[in-house]
Amino acid sequence: MKKIPFIFLLLMSFSYGQQKSTSKLKKESRPNIVLILADDMGYADLGCYGSEISTPNLDALANNGLRMTQFYNASRCCPTRASLLTGLYPHEANMGFMQEDCGLPGYGGHIPNDAVTMAQVLKENGYNTAMSGKWHVGNDREYWPTQKGFEKFYGFPHHGGAYFYPFPGDQVVVIGDSIITPKDDYYSTEAINEYGVKFVEEMVSDEKPFFLYLAHIAPHFPLQARQEDIAKYRGKYLNGFEKIREDRFKKQKALGIIPEDYPISKSDPKVPDWNSLSQAEKDDYDLRMSVYAAQIESMDRGIGDLIETLKETGELENTLIVFLSDNGGTREDYSNPELTAPIGQVGSFACYKLPWANVSNTPYRKFKHWGNEGGIRSPFIVHFPKMIQEQRIDNQPAHIIDIMTTFTDLAEANYPSTYNGINIKPTQGKSLIPIFKGENRTAHKGLFWEHEGNKAARIGNWKWVSIYPEYVDELYNLAEDPVEEFNMAKKNSKKLKELKQQWQSWADKVGVIPWEKVLESKPDQARLQIWY
C-alpha cells in the first residue's frame, strides 16, 4: 500500500479547515435573532429609559445600539403577543380579547391556521427556532409553541403569574409538550433565562442561524423575588411616588429619551398624597415597589448571562437582539389578603398598585388596557453591531406589527401566501431596517387600537382616544402635547371626525366587534374579567 505524502495530508487538513471556515461564514451571512419580551413593564422602568432600577445588561445593549421612543404595543398581554408573533393586528390574529374563546370571529383566543408565526416563517426559511417563557396565545395543546414553529420550548403555555413553586394558580411548566414539576427553590425568571442560554448553546453548534424568543413573566404580578434582591431596594422608595417620578423624568431628559422642554403628565387623580399616608402604608408601598424592582433586576441579570453566551460562542456580532415590553405598567390590584405569606415570598399574591404604575409609565398617562400613551408605549432596544455601530435614539413612530416584517427582511425569508394548504393573511407591518440604518422610514398611514372597548387611532401626529364605558372623545396633537393633557375634541371637530372614520374603516377591515356584543356572547361575564 502506497504511503500518502505528508505534504498531501497537510493540504487536505488545510482544505478541511477552509471548508469549515466557509461553512461558518455561510451561516453568518444571515443574522441570528433574539427577541426578548418583558411582561407588564412600564416605559420608564429600565435604567436606560430613566429608572433607578439596576439593569446594567439591558443598558449596555442600549448604550451600544438603538433606543426607540415611540414604539407602540397593543395595550395588553395576549393581543400584543399575537401581533408580535404574526405581524397582524390582534383581531386578525384571532386575539380580539384574550385567550378565552368568545365564540366570535376574531375572538377565538388562539393564533389561527390562516396566520403564521415568525417561528414558522423562519423555520421554513432555514432557521433553528426555540422559545423560553410565557406563551399566552393558545391554551390547548394544538396551539402550543411546538405546533407553531418552535422546535424547542420551555415555559408556560397558558399564562404567567408564576415565580416560586408551588404557583398560586393553575399554571403548568412544560418542556417541549411534556408537563414537568419544578424542583425546590425554583424561580421562573431564572429558569426562563437558563433555558434561553441552553437553547442557544445547542443551536450554535448547527450551521443554520437561529431564532430565540425569550418571553419573560417578569415583572407581572404577583410580586415575588429573591430576598437578597429585594433587600437592595428596601427604603429607596420611601421618598414617595412624586419624587421617584420626578427623578425618572429628569433622568429621561439627561439621557436624551425626551428633550429638555418635554412636559410630564399630571399624576393620575387616584394617586394619594404621600404625606397623607401612615408610616405602615408607606412601608407597604416601599416593599411592593422593592419587589417589583427586584423582579426586573433578576430578569436583567439572566439576560446578561445570555449576552455572555453569545460572546463566548462568537455569535454576538452577528445576532440581532430586540428587547421590548408587551404593554405599559398596570394599575390592576388583585392582591389576595387570604394568602398571608409576606409580600414577595412564596405563597404571597400582591400587586404594586396604581401609584407605582403611574411612576412606571413616566411621563405618560394611563396604564395597560388603555389606548393612551402610558398603556401603549414600550421601551424598545435594538442591538445589532453589523448595522448599528453607535448609540442612537430614534423618535419615529413604529408598531408591534412591524417586527415580523423586519425579521423576515433581515433573514431574507419569504413570507408565505399559503401554509399547509391554507391561505395566509398578509402581514400588516413595515420593516424597521431603515430606522436601524439611521434613515427616515415611510411612516404608517395610521396606527390603530381596540381592546375591551377602549379605542385609539394615530394619524400623523394626531391621536384619538375613547375609553370604555364612557366613550368620551379625546383628541390630541402629539407634536404639541405628547403626554395628552389638552383635549382638543371640541375645538377641532373636523379632525376628530376624520380620525374616528379612519378608525372605523380599520375596525371593519380587521374584524373588531363592539365590546358590548362580546360581553353578550358570554353568559358568565365574570369569566372575562381575568387577571393576566
Side-chain angles (χ1 to χ4, degrees):
M1 184 175 176
K2 264 187 161 182
K3 286 187 177 179
I4 300 174
F6 175 75
I7 188 68
F8 183 69
L9 289 171
L10 192 63
L11 286 169
M12 284 180 66
S13 174
F14 178 76
S15 174
Y16 178 68
Q18 287 291 93
Q19 287 173 12
K20 285 180 72 177
S21 175
T22 302
S23 174
K24 183 71 174 172
L25 287 172
K26 192 173 182 181
K27 173 183 175 180
E28 291 179 353
S29 66
R30 294 196 297 167
N32 307 308
I33 299 172
V34 174
L35 174 62
I36 308 174
L37 187 68
D39 195 353
D40 281 10
M41 192 190 77
Y43 185 79
D45 279 331
L46 298 178
C48 56
Y49 274 82
S51 180
E52 70 295 330
I53 299 171
S54 177
T55 54
N57 297 294
L58 287 167
D59 294 352
L61 292 180
N63 291 335
N64 293 280
L66 170 71
R67 275 169 289 177
M68 296 182 67
T69 64
Q70 294 194 70
F71 191 89
Y72 288 110
N73 58 63
S75 86
R76 200 174 179 191
C77 305
C78 295
T80 287
R81 290 161 202 271
S83 283
L84 174 68
L85 288 164
T86 64
L88 304 172
Y89 276 106
H91 308 78
E92 296 176 297
N94 203 30
M95 204 63 66
F97 172 49
M98 297 284 278
Q99 61 176 15
E100 299 289 286
D101 185 356
C102 299
L104 296 168
Y107 291 74
H110 63 267
I111 294 176
N113 291 331
D114 61 353
V116 286
T117 69
M118 55 179 60
Q120 289 171 314
V121 174
L122 292 172
K123 181 182 176 183
E124 287 292 308
N125 285 271
Y127 272 68
N128 288 319
T129 60
M131 177 187 171
S132 180
K134 172 180 170 180
W135 180 235
H136 210 197
V137 284
N139 271 330
D140 297 339
R141 284 178 181 266
E142 63 187 297
Y143 308 121
W144 284 9
T146 51
Q147 307 304 311
K148 293 295 180 180
F150 289 98
E151 298 161 316
K152 302 173 186 288
F153 171 60
Y154 169 83
F156 298 78
H158 299 154
H159 53 86
Y163 293 95
F164 292 120
Y165 188 79
F167 305 134
D170 60 353
Q171 301 91 329
V172 295
V173 184
V174 166
I175 295 179
D177 290 320
S178 300
I179 296 174
I180 63 169
T181 301
K183 296 179 180 179
D184 293 342
D185 201 38
Y186 177 88
Y187 188 64
S188 63
T189 302
E190 296 165 353
I192 289 167
N193 279 322
E194 287 164 5
Y195 270 89
V197 168
K198 179 178 185 291
F199 291 155
V200 166
E201 290 174 338
E202 292 171 353
M203 291 188 291
V204 295
S205 62
D206 198 314
E207 293 180 357
K208 295 179 181 179
F210 64 81
F211 167 54
L212 172 68
Y213 176 36
L214 193 68
H216 272 282
I217 290 171
H220 192 292
F221 55 83
L223 297 171
Q224 292 186 0
R226 300 284 187 196
Q227 288 303 302
E228 57 269 28
D229 287 332
I230 298 171
K232 298 175 189 177
Y233 293 95
R234 286 295 267 139
K236 288 187 177 182
Y237 295 104
L238 289 174
N239 287 329
F241 317 120
E242 290 302 328
K243 180 65 167 63
I244 302 298
R245 190 169 186 248
E246 186 61 32
D247 287 347
R248 290 191 178 192
F249 183 54
K250 289 177 181 177
K251 186 176 177 182
Q252 287 174 331
K253 290 182 176 181
L255 291 169
I257 296 297
I258 54 177
E260 282 295 326
D261 61 351
Y262 209 80
I264 185 171
S265 64
K266 295 175 184 176
S267 288
D268 191 274
K270 293 183 180 178
V271 175
D273 178 3
W274 184 258
N275 293 325
S276 71
L277 301 177
S278 68
Q279 190 58 49
E281 289 172 319
K282 290 177 181 179
D283 287 341
D284 180 74
Y285 273 118
D286 174 70
L287 173 59
R288 290 172 188 267
M289 190 61 190
S290 295
V291 182
Y292 180 84
Q295 290 173 281
I296 292 174
E297 180 173 333
S298 177
M299 175 181 67
D300 177 85
R301 184 164 56 241
I303 291 170
D305 294 338
L306 175 62
I307 295 167
E308 190 60 32
T309 300
L310 291 169
K311 286 180 183 176
E312 291 173 353
T313 55
E315 297 290 345
L316 183 62
E317 293 298 304
N318 191 44
T319 299
L320 168 71
I321 303 175
V322 172
F323 175 92
L324 71 157
S325 181
D326 62 350
N327 43 250
T330 178
R331 93 294 181 230
E332 296 162 303
D333 185 10
Y334 295 98
S335 301
N336 188 343
E338 294 180 6
L339 299 177
T340 57
I343 290 174
Q345 298 183 26
V346 62
S348 64
F349 199 105
C351 304
Y352 76 153
K353 299 189 177 184
L354 182 149
W356 287 129
N358 191 220
V359 172
S360 287
N361 299 332
T362 304
Y364 301 110
R365 286 182 59 222
K366 291 292 185 181
F367 316 96
K368 167 186 175 181
H369 293 265
W370 285 288
N372 294 92
E373 299 292 290
I376 60 176
R377 280 210 198 195
S378 289
F380 191 84
I381 301 170
V382 183
H383 184 271
F384 188 34
K386 284 197 168 182
M387 193 171 287
I388 305 167
Q389 281 83 37
E390 58 185 11
Q391 178 188 155
R392 282 194 294 110
I393 295 175
D394 191 279
N395 300 315
Q396 297 178 72
H399 191 277
I400 200 85
I401 56 176
D402 296 334
I403 295 180
M404 165 73 94
T405 307
T406 305
F407 287 0
T408 55
D409 281 1
L410 279 173
E412 300 171 18
N414 295 314
Y415 184 88
S417 57
T418 62
Y419 189 85
N420 289 338
I422 298 173
N423 291 331
I424 298 300
K425 295 172 183 175
T427 181
Q428 299 297 311
K430 296 171 68 69
S431 179
L432 297 170
I433 291 177
I435 295 177
F436 293 177
K437 291 180 176 179
E439 301 169 356
N440 288 325
R441 183 183 74 153
T442 303
H444 286 275
K445 292 181 179 178
L447 295 171
F448 304 94
W449 293 263
E450 191 280 334
H451 181 66
E452 293 185 329
N454 296 299
K455 308 169 186 177
R458 176 171 176 170
I459 313 293
N461 284 319
W462 285 97
K463 173 97 177 283
W464 168 65
V465 180
S466 176
I467 297 175
Y468 176 84
E470 295 85 1
Y471 291 135
V472 175
D473 288 321
E474 300 176 15
L475 180 68
Y476 306 102
N477 183 341
L478 296 181
E480 300 173 359
D481 179 23
V483 297
E484 302 170 313
E485 284 285 287
F486 305 105
N487 186 358
M488 300 180 68
K490 293 181 179 179
K491 292 183 178 179
N492 199 332
S493 58
K494 182 179 179 181
K495 182 60 67 175
L496 174 65
K497 182 179 179 181
E498 176 189 331
L499 265 67
K500 291 178 72 171
Q501 287 177 339
Q502 292 196 44
W503 181 91
Q504 190 60 57
S505 296
W506 165 82
D508 293 341
K509 178 183 176 183
V510 303
V512 174
I513 295 174
W515 183 237
E516 292 81 2
K517 289 188 177 180
V518 178
L519 290 174
E520 289 171 6
S521 75
K522 302 295 290 184
D524 181 9
Q525 294 187 14
R527 190 164 178 250
L528 293 176
Q529 307 308 315
I530 52 181
W531 51 261
Y532 306 129

